[in-house]
Amino acid sequence: MRRRTKALTLSLVLFLTCGATTVTAEAAETVKRTAECQGDWLPATPTAADIMSGKVDFVGLPPVQVDKDVNWRTDPYRNRSWSMVFHSLRWMGRLVADYETSGESAYLARATEIAKDWVADNPRGGGGAKASPYAWQEHPIALRAPALVCLSKHVNAPWLSKSLAEHATVLSDPRRYEKGHNHGIDQDIALLGIGCRYKNAGWSNLAVRRLTETVKLDVDSQGVLREQAPRYAIYVYERLKVAMDRIEECGRKVPADISRRWESLEDFISHSTQPNGFMVPIGDGGADVRPVGYAHPKKTVRVFGNGYVYGRTAWDDPASAFYSIRFGPGLKYHGHEDHLGVTYYAQGRDVLVDVGFHSYENNAYRRWTMSPQAHNTPAVVGAAFRARTTTTLSSSSIRDGRQSYRLTDRAYGVPRTRSVLVNHEQDVMAVLDTVPRGSRVGNVWHLARELSTVSNAGGRIVVKDKTGWKATLVQLSMPSCRPVDGLRVVQGRQNPYQGWVSPAYLRKQAAPAVLSPTSENALLTVVVPGTDNPSVSCSGGKVRLETAKGPVSFRAAGADLS
């Protein structure tokens, strides 16, 4: 009861101090640009002209016509992301920002109509035929509040200040707070904005205190985001920059913990970016994400303790080799069941890929993209998979021209172990999968969509791209070193899903996936870019092969590669 009384009192204070509805009468040439409305936090689409004509388009889906009296229950695509952006009112904020830069009063008038209509139709607590069940969910609230604060810099109205007080009350509620998550960062930016706008130290103090705690939880000291999708490191990096700017604009000092963790993200983002400039699509990260403007470190190989290994032969060279390996804490937030999974980029091309991110819609394809079968992983055949299992990186050897790693977990109830060796200059990736005696192992290898199968015989898959460039995947049973018969290439299968990749949001494209037969022996998979005929031989635990750039040899002993 005391909490409710306090919330109502704060609302009343804002209501009484704001007076009647007025639109600032500044001439076009004297409209003041404000920090609350300017910056890159607003979307590029829809444009002001689109909104004025009644068209809105979000998340890359076709434009939707909205009436002057907006129907807030509109949900044309049954898409969570579309609805979130619709109710964020950031598109309304675009009108206010463009009013500031153009002086076009019609933009401000329409922005006011949209916001006032939303407030009238979507009372907190729901109710009424016009209210949307999505309106007061936690993330739309967090994204909408800054847009309303922006509007309040030019519109002085009781309905607006009262709504902002309601937003602050919800944002302050610990039961609604997403601690240690990017949504929590957005919630704190929103609460800080309202607190600073109305000089409410209680709200501002709470926002900064929570933000510090959330950042320390969500971003570790190496810059790794616990949300398990490198793409979100970009989002958090950009949002923390907004948060730090807002803290300073509010006359406060940015806590050192926030600035340090923000700086550390840059290193993680750079290492997560392939030589072609696109981020490796791990977790809920699209294959079309291209980080820009992040300085890279000197190190070409980095092991991040919370679950990522990245290596490359050089920076600033599109032809550099690159690989990723996943391990660490069990799945959470935006992660997938990709532990022990690898990707491999060589000679300017994707070779082994993650299938990527399609959407957040809870459908069969989304669930498949999150499963082990959608990643380059081993399975203990016939055993039940245990979701959210932790994987350990038990050993590593890092040299300039060669790196090797050993990883293990009990995701199938018994130990499964994967050793990975990457050789540079003479490009080779070798992977050894082992399981205990009495168990059987199988694995899947997702190849880039640009590759097509040339041949499949004698434990070898040869693929090529449209230029004629070729690569070979060789699979051997160990320790006998016999070629594995029965490799299958699956492409575009619907039931169950297999042989697909998602090159962008809401897109999927058939791509070759290599499925091994099950084996009671260890499986050694060797990927050799740039040739269709790598000679392979074994003797005394040593594997020798001939690449397009010369010979390579390594040892396969027990469960280890070196």
Side-chain angles (χ1 to χ4, degrees):
M1 183 68 183
R2 183 176 299 171
R3 178 178 294 167
R4 175 173 171 80
T5 302
K6 184 177 180 181
L8 290 174
T9 302
L10 292 169
S11 298
L12 182 61
V13 167
L14 290 179
F15 182 90
L16 292 174
T17 58
C18 289
T21 303
T22 59
V23 175
T24 308
E26 299 148 313
E29 63 272 14
T30 61
V31 175
K32 182 180 178 182
R33 297 191 186 190
T34 64
E36 289 82 356
C37 296
Q38 298 301 315
D40 57 5
W41 64 278
L42 289 170
T45 59
T47 64
D50 290 335
I51 300 167
M52 294 301 288
S53 67
K55 289 189 297 186
V56 295
D57 62 289
F58 309 129
V59 298
L61 291 168
V64 173
Q65 193 74 29
V66 295
D67 296 331
K68 186 176 180 64
D69 181 7
V70 180
N71 176 6
W72 296 106
R73 297 183 70 89
T74 298
D75 187 11
Y77 300 108
R78 299 294 186 265
N79 181 285
R80 293 170 57 198
S81 297
W82 193 98
S83 295
M84 184 271 291
V85 177
F86 185 49
H87 282 277
S88 76
L89 294 191
R90 282 182 163 189
W91 52 285
M92 177 278 297
R94 165 55 56 199
L95 287 175
V96 186
D98 287 0
Y99 161 71
E100 288 189 348
T101 57
S102 70
E104 179 55 65
S105 59
Y107 290 169
L108 181 62
R110 180 58 182 150
T112 304
E113 288 177 343
I114 292 168
K116 189 173 184 180
D117 187 61
W118 186 93
V119 170
D121 289 355
N122 294 281
R124 183 158 65 101
K130 295 183 177 182
S132 167
Y134 208 85
W136 287 92
Q137 291 190 16
E138 48 86 16
H139 206 203
I141 295 170
L143 298 179
R144 183 170 59 245
L148 294 176
V149 168
C150 164
L151 180 64
S152 77
K153 298 296 289 185
H154 302 280
V155 174
N156 188 13
W159 62 266
L160 181 54
S161 56
K162 180 181 179 182
S163 182
L164 280 166
E166 289 183 314
H167 279 70
T169 299
V170 176
L171 290 164
S172 300
D173 188 343
R175 297 169 300 180
R176 304 289 298 273
Y177 184 60
E178 295 288 334
K179 186 174 182 178
H181 190 275
N182 72 83
H183 289 195
I185 294 172
D186 286 331
Q187 287 172 309
D188 289 326
I189 291 171
L191 183 60
L192 176 66
I194 301 172
C196 290
R197 177 72 180 93
Y198 293 106
K199 296 179 173 54
N200 186 305
W203 292 338
S204 301
N205 291 340
L206 175 61
V208 175
R209 184 173 69 252
R210 289 192 319 193
L211 179 63
T212 305
E213 295 170 354
T214 274
V215 171
K216 290 171 66 177
L217 185 59
D218 199 25
V219 184
D220 73 13
S221 60
Q222 289 184 303
V224 177
L225 201 68
R226 76 167 185 157
E227 298 181 44
Q228 299 185 352
R231 171 175 75 100
Y232 274 89
I234 299 175
Y235 183 78
V236 168
Y237 183 90
E238 293 174 346
R239 296 302 286 159
L240 286 181
K241 181 62 171 67
V242 171
M244 291 188 295
D245 288 346
R246 294 293 178 266
I247 291 171
E248 290 179 341
E249 290 160 5
C250 200
R252 296 165 177 263
K253 184 178 179 180
V254 176
D257 284 328
I258 294 177
S259 57
R260 278 196 297 264
R261 297 296 170 99
W262 173 74
E263 290 170 356
S264 70
L265 281 164
E266 188 168 34
D267 192 63
F268 178 64
I269 292 168
S270 295
H271 277 289
S272 302
T273 303
Q274 300 179 132
N276 61 2
F278 292 96
M279 183 167 268
V280 61
I282 293 173
D284 287 342
D288 58 344
V289 176
R290 192 181 187 100
V292 176
Y294 295 92
H296 63 69
K298 292 182 179 180
K299 287 185 178 180
T300 54
V301 179
R302 185 75 189 270
V303 177
F304 290 97
N306 262 324
Y308 302 84
V309 176
Y310 293 125
R312 70 187 70 227
T313 51
W315 292 98
D316 301 321
D317 179 6
S320 166
F322 171 91
Y323 62 91
S324 71
I325 308 173
R326 280 285 287 127
F327 68 101
L331 179 149
K332 62 176 62 175
Y333 298 128
H334 293 289
H336 293 181
E337 294 290 2
D338 56 6
H339 282 188
L340 279 71
V342 302
T343 68
Y344 189 37
Y345 175 101
Q347 300 177 13
R349 298 164 174 86
D350 281 315
V351 184
L352 298 177
V353 300
D354 193 292
V355 303
F357 167 68
H358 181 261
S359 75
Y360 296 111
E361 305 313 304
N362 186 19
N363 54 37
Y365 185 77
R366 159 71 169 168
R367 291 190 290 274
W368 174 73
T369 64
M370 297 179 67
S371 74
Q373 291 74 31
H375 304 88
N376 301 311
T377 59
V380 181
V381 181
F385 178 72
R386 299 179 176 184
R388 305 177 188 276
T389 298
T390 297
T391 300
T392 302
L393 175 64
S394 55
S395 66
S396 63
S397 172
I398 299 173
R399 292 179 286 162
D400 286 345
R402 174 175 292 187
Q403 296 92 51
S404 61
Y405 310 90
R406 179 174 175 174
L407 309 98
T408 187
D409 66 21
R410 300 179 70 92
Y412 290 88
V414 299
R416 60 169 181 167
T417 300
R418 165 165 281 190
S419 291
V420 181
L421 179 145
V422 184
N423 191 83
H424 300 308
E425 293 186 15
Q426 301 88 10
D427 293 319
V428 171
M429 172 179 274
V431 180
L432 182 64
D433 292 321
T434 58
V435 294
R437 186 184 300 273
S439 298
R440 300 182 69 85
V441 66
N443 50 37
V444 59
W445 303 98
H446 294 273
L447 299 170
R449 60 193 172 103
E450 295 84 4
L451 301 176
S452 60
T453 306
V454 174
S455 62
N456 176 6
R460 294 176 178 231
I461 305 285
V462 177
V463 293
K464 69 175 182 179
D465 66 13
K466 290 182 178 180
T467 71
W469 180 89
K470 295 178 180 178
T472 303
L473 183 150
V474 180
Q475 195 160 85
L476 306 170
S477 177
M478 300 303 285
S480 68
C481 205
R482 293 195 183 99
V484 173
D485 291 324
L487 293 174
R488 291 186 297 138
V489 180
V490 176
Q491 188 161 337
R493 191 174 72 190
Q494 296 278 355
N495 188 21
Y497 281 110
Q498 191 52 274
W500 297 91
V501 297
S502 289
Y505 181 66
L506 289 178
R507 288 180 55 198
K508 69 176 189 282
Q509 183 174 338
V514 178
L515 278 62
S516 77
T518 65
S519 173
E520 61 184 7
N521 300 313
L523 289 176
L524 174 64
T525 306
V526 184
V527 179
V528 189
T531 180
D532 61 351
N533 189 29
S535 62
V536 181
S537 62
C538 302
S539 176
K542 184 176 250 187
V543 180
R544 296 180 178 85
L545 63 150
E546 192 71 30
T547 75
K549 295 183 179 181
V552 173
S553 64
F554 56 87
R555 298 196 66 82
D560 292 314
L561 296 176
S562 60

